[in-house]
Amino acid sequence: MNWLKRPASETQITHGQRLWLYIVASVIMILLVAPTVIVIPMSFSASQYLEFPPRDWSLRWYEHYLSSPAWIDATWTSLKAGFLTMCVATPVGVAAAYGLHVSRHPLGQFFYVVLITPIMVPVILIAIAAFYVFVQIRMVNSLFGLVIAHSILALPLVLIVVSAALKSYDMNQEMAARSLGASRLTAFLGITLPQIRFSVLTAALLSFLTSFDEVIIAMFVSGGDNSTLTRNMFNALRDQIDPTIASISTIMIVISSTLLILSQLFGKSRD
């Protein structure tokens, strides 16, 4: 009870006075997290159908996933697309953020808005546009086309994260290196990049997860041998309720959570 009387901030507001805020925040968090948490025990059900809570426990759906060539091929496609999207969107986004930050061009803010437009436009419109363009140049159902489309979605996230990091960075350090004879590229790689590395790592991770979890664009531009995991999951839900989807979702949750945790640990260990 003494905790309720302690100040919660420098304004001397106590935890007791903020108790209503903690309750509301907890309820909202439960509502947001509950659907994700429920999927995990459902993936261990022995039933032929999705059920919660499971009456019997089994690993049959994980075994089904690991023994299915279609699911494994789709998983590798999603992993490759995510990795390549990260490799494309991260350097391009970092370069764009750096260029807009150091530029004094009056149209800099305009170009910034243009580059982040993909997160303001409904994804379905981007998917339709990408499908129309890729049909013309025969890139539908290709891994390269999927990576380009996903990079369009990931680029704004990289730009926003890295731009925020650069705003708190003292550019005079880079200017000092350049005054001593270093080129702009050398100064950026040796001085600026190491100090914003955590933001770049976070942006790269977001790029990977954007591609790995994306389904709408994948429905339009992927297919055949390059069908993604999320596309196959959507098709499985449309055709039949397959509990294998719960096991795949659990694996995706584990992968995403692990990457986020590793990025945080890596960032703190390097700071």
Side-chain angles (χ1 to χ4, degrees), residues 19 62 88 104 114 142 150 166 172 192 205 226 251 254 256:
L19 187 59
Y62 288 92
V88 172
R104 297 295 182 265
V114 171
S142 68
H150 282 174
L166 288 173
N172 289 328
T192 303
L205 175 61
N226 292 308
I251 293 174
V254 171
S256 300

Side-chain angles (χ1 to χ4, degrees), residues 9-10 12 18 22 42 55 59 77 117 144 160 194 197 204 208 214 241 252 267:
S9 66
E10 296 179 357
Q12 301 302 312
R18 280 190 174 182
Y22 299 152
M42 289 173 63
R55 289 175 291 180
L59 294 174
T77 298
T117 297
F144 180 73
I160 292 173
R197 62 184 181 277
F208 175 85
E214 202 282 324
I241 303 300
M252 295 179 70

Side-chain angles (χ1 to χ4, degrees), residues 61-200:
W61 300 116
Y62 288 92
E63 295 175 356
H64 181 265
Y65 163 68
L66 294 174
S67 62
S68 172
W71 284 118
I72 296 301
D73 290 345
T75 301
W76 280 116
T77 298
S78 291
L79 291 173
K80 288 187 292 184
F83 177 76
L84 293 174
T85 298
M86 178 180 67
C87 292
V88 172
T90 303
V92 173
V94 170
Y98 177 80
L100 292 174
H101 180 73
V102 300
S103 174
R104 297 295 182 265
H105 198 281
L107 294 178
Q109 190 63 31
F110 170 77
F111 289 126
Y112 179 85
V113 173
V114 171
L115 290 173
I116 66 172
T117 297
I119 65 174
M120 298 185 287
V121 176
V123 179
I124 185 66
L125 297 181
I126 298 177
I128 294 173
F131 175 76
Y132 177 80
V133 173
F134 289 172
V135 165
Q136 307 299 320
I137 58 179
R138 299 181 180 180
M139 285 176 53
V140 175
N141 297 341
S142 68
L143 181 62
F144 180 73
L146 182 64
V147 170
I148 295 300
H150 282 174
S151 297
I152 294 174
L153 293 182
L155 179 60
L157 299 177
V158 178
L159 181 60
I160 292 173
V161 172
V162 178
S163 294
L166 288 173
K167 288 181 180 179
S168 60
Y169 170 70
D170 185 8
M171 290 298 296
N172 289 328
Q173 300 179 55
E174 183 177 313
M175 293 294 292
R178 292 177 59 194
S179 68
L180 295 174
S183 64
R184 181 181 290 273
L185 179 61
T186 301
F188 173 78
L189 295 177
I191 305 297
T192 303
L193 185 59
Q195 299 193 56
I196 63 171
R197 62 184 181 277
F198 182 58
S199 296
V200 175

